[in-house]
Amino acid sequence: MKRISILLLAIVALGACQTKVKSPGEDVSSITIKYTELDRPTMFRIACDRFDKYFPKPYTLNVVSKPAIDSVMAVLNTLERMEDEEPDVRAKILITDKSNKTDTVCVGVASLRYKQATYKTPEKLLVMIHQ
């Protein structure tokens, strides 16, 4: 009986010491995706700060469920870095964390800007936007 008690105590202590795996969107409270047609032609490149001017009535998708937030953040956490270039923006992703701080991802078909860096736009992200 004493051995069983010690074994149970050891198991409980071991479980308490293990590190909990953090989900990709654990600190995110919501995501808003504003987008237009990805193949929408324009005469010039649309910069991120001009997206709202040239596309004043974009489609809007609010992502609030935890599994959906985790899916979007998992894709953003595996971005492939590329040479700096300004994307021809067709979508903006607004990521709001639990402290109400908002990060913006400017998405073009070929590249995107996130946290002052340029990345290759993953096909999976484009599919998520247009679902």
Side-chain angles (χ1 to χ4, degrees):
M1 185 69 172
K2 189 174 182 179
R3 284 186 178 180
I4 292 174
S5 298
I6 293 172
L7 182 60
L8 287 175
L9 184 60
I11 291 172
V12 169
L14 182 63
C17 293
Q18 289 181 340
T19 306
K20 184 180 176 185
V21 176
K22 189 175 179 180
S23 69
E26 186 170 319
D27 298 329
V28 177
S29 62
S30 69
I31 296 175
T32 300
I33 302 173
K34 296 179 179 183
Y35 64 97
T36 187
E37 297 86 13
L38 293 176
D39 58 351
R40 188 173 185 172
T42 56
M43 294 175 62
F44 46 87
R45 295 176 87 71
I46 305 297
C48 194
D49 61 345
R50 300 296 208 173
F51 178 83
D52 294 319
K53 177 183 177 185
Y54 290 107
F55 306 116
K57 295 182 181 180
Y59 301 107
T60 301
L61 175 64
N62 293 310
V63 182
V64 292
S65 76
K66 193 67 178 152
I69 288 172
D70 285 345
S71 295
V72 173
M73 294 309 294
V75 171
L76 292 177
N77 288 336
T78 59
L79 294 173
E80 181 182 327
R81 187 89 192 251
M82 62 184 287
E83 293 293 320
D84 281 345
E85 74 173 52
E86 286 299 315
D88 190 9
V89 178
R90 294 296 183 266
K92 282 174 77 170
I93 301 174
L94 307 169
I95 304 166
T96 305
D97 66 14
K98 292 181 179 176
S99 65
N100 273 348
K101 184 181 143 232
T102 301
D103 280 332
T104 301
V105 182
C106 299
V107 182
V109 174
S111 64
L112 63 83
R113 292 283 291 176
Y114 182 42
K115 296 186 178 184
Q116 291 80 40
T118 303
Y119 301 92
K120 180 179 176 191
T121 302
E123 188 67 32
K124 190 172 184 176
L125 182 62
L126 297 175
V127 170
M128 286 178 173
I129 290 171
H130 274 281
Q131 278 188 341

